[in-house]
Amino acid sequence: MNPTDGHRKHARNERDERNERNERDEPDDRDELDEREERDEREGKDEEGGRGERDGRGEPDRVSAAEALRGAVEQLTGLLGRAPETVSALTPTETGWTARIEFVEVERVPETTSVLASYEVALGHDGQLLGYERGKRYTRAQIDDKDGG
């Protein structure tokens, strides 16, 4: 065996050992991608990173009642340009949530004569505003009728 052959063999062994160490110590891109996909699946995110479908029926995740309520108030306040007086109802539906939010439409003195309006708000499962409609208008001093609103 000539000395050059021994040197080549030694260099090849060192290179093979380095490659083996790198393979053990550093995950390849596929491992990182698999881990990211598993994490997104646990967190209920879809391929684009948004909230996706979680249950077996294909329905998207439903936000909590508190999140839906906050979202309804924030979104409707932004659209109407005034703060709500109160929230009188929040109900889960097949398509998400419905809420009834009361706003002062006309401020008067004394306050008991101010005009309020009840808005029906439809929210999706994710808490996003789907639509709203102004319902009944009434004075603050008015007592509820049998319909409750």
Side-chain angles (χ1 to χ4, degrees):
M1 172 156 86
N2 96 34
T4 309
D5 290 337
H7 181 65
R8 286 183 190 154
K9 186 176 183 180
H10 180 71
R12 204 175 355 193
N13 286 341
E14 284 181 2
R15 187 177 58 242
D16 291 343
E17 286 176 21
R18 269 196 314 271
N19 287 340
E20 285 178 26
R21 273 196 308 266
N22 287 340
E23 287 176 4
R24 280 189 309 243
D25 296 339
E26 298 176 17
D28 64 9
D29 291 340
R30 285 174 294 182
D31 290 339
E32 290 178 23
L33 183 60
D34 291 342
E35 289 173 12
R36 194 175 318 124
E37 287 174 349
E38 287 175 15
R39 184 179 57 245
D40 288 349
E41 189 174 312
R42 280 193 310 271
E43 294 173 0
K45 293 181 181 175
D46 59 20
E47 291 176 7
E48 286 78 35
R51 300 304 273 168
E53 296 178 354
R54 182 165 62 174
D55 68 9
R57 298 176 307 219
E59 291 181 11
D61 296 343
R62 180 188 293 271
V63 297
S64 69
E67 290 173 311
L69 189 58
R70 271 192 300 277
V73 167
E74 287 174 9
Q75 293 173 76
L76 197 54
T77 297
L79 288 170
L80 298 178
R82 51 187 176 260
E85 183 73 14
T86 188
V87 176
S88 56
L90 178 68
T91 309
T93 65
E94 287 184 20
T95 58
W97 297 91
T98 59
R100 188 170 43 246
I101 305 174
E102 317 299 320
F103 284 86
V104 175
E105 294 257 308
V106 180
E107 290 189 43
R108 293 186 179 155
V109 176
E111 283 187 8
T112 56
T113 61
S114 292
V115 177
L116 282 77
S118 181
Y119 284 80
E120 291 287 326
V121 181
L123 303 162
H125 287 286
D126 60 357
Q128 291 299 307
L129 183 72
L130 300 176
Y132 71 95
E133 181 177 358
R134 184 178 72 191
K136 182 178 173 183
R137 291 180 70 179
Y138 56 96
T139 61
R140 185 183 300 274
Q142 185 175 338
I143 296 173
D144 286 345
D145 58 9
K146 280 178 97 175
D147 295 335

